[in-house]
Amino acid sequence: PDNGAVRKAKTETLEQFIPRIVHFSNILDAKLKDLGLEELYTTLELPAAYVLARAETAGIRLDTEQVRSVANMLKQQISIIATRIMNRAGYEINLNSPKQLSDYLYSKLAIKPLSKTKLSTAEDVLKELMVENEEHRPVLEDILSYREYSKLLSTYTQPLLDARGEDGRLSLIPI
């Protein structure tokens, strides 16, 4: 990997930079030869680098309809779970609010907290609470599922759709 050792300095001319690249290239070639990795580099690493560079430049085609379908399925599951939780609670809760969720779990449902000082809604705590509070397992599972589906929607599906270019492809290198 490039550790930044071979970069053109702002004040360096191209005529000064090229000999430095050649010098470092010779050092690295000798190192590869000494380690017995020259064949691996030329037959596997170098060809793979060209393929990856082309993929980065051209991008990959995104099946927009499939991603939208997954996003819609996630939205539907999120809605079903949120409705189920609200129906159990009997009032509306912002499931993305740790405070509102904490009030619901520890006050309304009277779940005994793991710690006397902290009414946490963190994932690991909710999983542990499921073991300690079997009667509240369904609501705790729903909260965890709601978070998982929400994370998938906001981290993967929508960003993929937003990142595609005019040609419908995802590219790491803007053209």
Side-chain angles (χ1 to χ4, degrees):
D2 178 14
N3 64 5
V6 186
R7 289 211 173 116
K8 184 180 172 297
K10 288 182 182 180
T11 59
E12 190 175 34
T13 66
L14 209 49
E15 290 78 20
Q16 295 167 323
F17 180 57
I18 291 173
R20 270 197 325 114
I21 292 175
V22 172
H23 172 73
F24 280 111
S25 175
N26 291 335
I27 291 171
L28 292 175
D29 283 345
K31 214 177 219 184
L32 283 173
K33 202 175 282 188
D34 289 346
L35 295 170
L37 299 173
E38 192 175 32
E39 184 180 352
L40 175 68
Y41 175 71
T42 58
T43 60
L44 184 67
E45 295 287 336
L46 202 52
Y50 287 113
V51 171
L52 291 172
R54 282 197 309 271
E56 287 177 357
T57 303
I60 58 169
R61 192 175 1 203
L62 179 67
D63 186 341
T64 306
E65 289 311 308
Q66 183 65 31
V67 175
R68 280 195 182 114
S69 173
V70 169
N72 288 334
M73 184 273 303
L74 291 169
K75 288 175 187 174
Q76 184 179 19
Q77 288 301 311
I78 289 166
S79 176
I80 289 168
I81 292 168
T83 301
R84 192 165 48 226
I85 293 170
M86 304 299 168
N87 287 341
R88 277 192 198 113
Y91 61 94
E92 196 164 320
I93 303 167
N94 177 354
L95 297 173
N96 298 315
S97 164
K99 183 177 179 355
Q100 287 186 30
L101 204 51
S102 177
D103 288 343
Y104 171 63
L105 294 174
Y106 299 111
S107 296
K108 173 110 166 84
L109 295 181
I111 293 176
K112 184 181 174 202
L114 300 175
S115 163
K116 291 184 184 218
T117 58
K118 195 169 184 190
L119 304 177
S120 177
T121 62
E123 179 181 353
D124 59 329
V125 172
L126 295 181
K127 285 180 179 180
E128 203 171 328
L129 286 172
M130 277 195 286
V131 175
E132 304 285 327
N133 300 273
E134 190 62 38
E135 69 277 14
H136 297 298
R137 184 181 198 85
V139 74
L140 295 167
E141 285 176 340
D142 276 348
I143 292 166
L144 291 169
S145 294
Y146 174 89
R147 286 180 175 173
E148 182 180 351
Y149 292 139
S150 295
K151 178 85 172 173
L152 289 170
L153 181 66
S154 67
T155 304
Y156 299 105
T157 57
Q158 196 56 51
L160 279 174
L161 293 171
D162 294 344
R164 67 197 156 97
E166 290 177 15
D167 60 356
R169 299 174 81 83
L170 297 177
S171 178
L172 296 176
I173 301 170
I175 299 174

